């Protein structure tokens, strides 16, 4: 399932752009206050302006680094609002008052409503006290008070917009997941239907073929001329091999169909039929299965990819390493499921009557199956052992 694209405010470039704008705002505030009248200084009103300016700067810088740490953000905005309000009363001709509305706006957008209102009220009180102390004009005080209220209101509007945007994104993601789940359910339903049809067709046809071959075997076996005619004897052996192939094909078809169904069995259950003693085969190798980790159900494509890998590995062992046992190791971890099939390499002079059979594309097909299931496939000699390994993500 593909991940949803991050929201604009969550993208690194957007966040860095916002930080640059905040730094630029602080620089503008400091520059204008430094050139205002009365200026900052070390005595009387100038000292008060200097102290308020320092607190505003520290609060503004803390706001820049606070990010999602709400306690630090609250302290930073409260300091900025108080000092900004004081600057508005102490130095009404500078833009230091802007710090208080900005702090109120950010608080309303990021903090609880009661906290943001308390910060705005504190800024207004700081503005009112300093205006009274320095004997400022009532009109200026009221104008700055309206500016703080406007900042608070703007923050609440932005908070509502962000909440609606988040709700819309969440609804969109839920809709996308629902559509994906519906599509997956449709695929599984269609897969089950196809598997059922394949099973019915092949089971009936291969079952009927097996019956016909058994009848032909009985007729040839009981015919007196079979013991004297080598051609009839050879035909009887061909019928026997054809019967074995039909029965084996029917068994493998059932396994593949079972793996395709959405209620498919677990892999160890599907692989048990290949182990020694469960499905005797005079011409096939001895197969043992080891399971490591917690067994879990895989996707049908992954189950079929592993099952086909095992079948191909056992078949190749019978062709190219006759008489050598095959060891299957099925390992479950938190991240992946791995199946390794290993058999000792035969001696150089070992006869291989089936070595030239087949089209030679088995390993290529297994690699393609693994890739389609999102996994990886490897095959090759390791320490005088031929290993075939398929890995499927969990």
């Amino acid at each position: 399932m593909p991940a949803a694209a991050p929201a604009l405010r969550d993208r690194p470039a957007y966040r860095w752009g916002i930080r640059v704008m905040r730094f630029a705002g602080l620089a503008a505030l400091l520059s204008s206050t430094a050139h205002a009248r009365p200026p900052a200084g070390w005595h009387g009103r100038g000292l008060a302006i200097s102290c308020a300016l320092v607190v505003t700067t520290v609060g503004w810088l803390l706001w820049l680094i606070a990010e999602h740490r709400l306690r630090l953000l609250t302290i930073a905005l409260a300091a900025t609002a108080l000092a900004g309000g004081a600057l508005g009363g102490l130095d009404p001709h500078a833009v230091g008052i802007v710090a208080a509305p900005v702090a109120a706006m950010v608080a309303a957008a990021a903090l609880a409503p009661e906290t943001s209102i308390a910060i705005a009220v504190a800024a207004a009180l700081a503005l009112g006290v300093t205006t009274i102390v320095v004997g400022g004009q009532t009109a200026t005080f009221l104008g700055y008070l309206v500016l703080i209220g406007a900042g608070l209101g703007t923050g609440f509007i932005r908070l509502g917009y962000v909440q609606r945007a988040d709700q819309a994104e969440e609804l969109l993601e839920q809709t996308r997941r629902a559509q994906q789940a519906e599509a997956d359910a449709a695929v599984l339903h269609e897969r089950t239907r196809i598997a059922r049809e394949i099973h019915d067709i092949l089971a009936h046809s291969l079952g009927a073929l097996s019956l016909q071959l058994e009848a032909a075997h009985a007729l040839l076996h009981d015919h007196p001329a079979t013991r004297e005619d080598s051609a009839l004897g050879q035909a009887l052996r061909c019928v026997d091999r054809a019967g074995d192939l039909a029965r084996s094909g029917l068994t493998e078809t059932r396994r593949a169909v079972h793996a395709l169904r959405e209620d498919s069995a677990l892999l160890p259950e599907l692989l048990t039929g290949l182990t020694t003693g469960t499905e005797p085969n005079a011409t096939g190798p001895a197969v043992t299965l080891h399971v490591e980790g917690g067994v879990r159900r895989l996707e049908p494509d992954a189950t079929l990819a592993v099952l086909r890998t095992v079948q191909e590995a056992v078949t190749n062992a019978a062709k190219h390493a006759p008489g050598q046992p095959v060891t299957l190791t099925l390992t479950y971890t938190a991240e992946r499921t791995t199946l390794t099939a290993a058999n000792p390499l035969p001696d150089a002079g070992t006869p291989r009557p089936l070595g030239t059979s087949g089209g030679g594309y088995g390993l290529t097909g297994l690699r393609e199956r693994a890739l389609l299931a999102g996994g990886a496939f490897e095959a090759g000699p390791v320490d005088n052992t031929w290993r075939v390994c398929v890995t499927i993500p969990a």
Side-chain angles (χ1 to χ4, degrees), residues 176-189:
R176 190 187 66 81
R177 286 199 297 264
Q179 291 175 345
Q180 184 65 39
E182 184 178 354
D184 291 342
V187 169
L188 288 175
H189 178 75

Side-chain angles (χ1 to χ4, degrees), residues 38 45 49 82-94 96-97 123 126-137 140-141 144:
R45 187 172 175 181
I49 293 174
L82 281 168
L87 275 176
L90 293 169
D91 198 359
H93 301 294
I97 184 59
L127 173 64
V129 169
T130 52
T131 300
I132 294 172
V133 170
V134 300
Q137 297 180 358
T140 303
F141 165 73
Y144 285 165

Side-chain angles (χ1 to χ4, degrees), residues 283 285 316-325 346 350-354:
T283 61
N316 286 342
K319 290 180 181 180
H320 305 291
Q324 300 292 346
T350 302
R352 306 176 187 179
L354 300 177

Side-chain angles (χ1 to χ4, degrees), residues 36 50 154 201 273 323:
S50 298
T154 302
I201 294 171

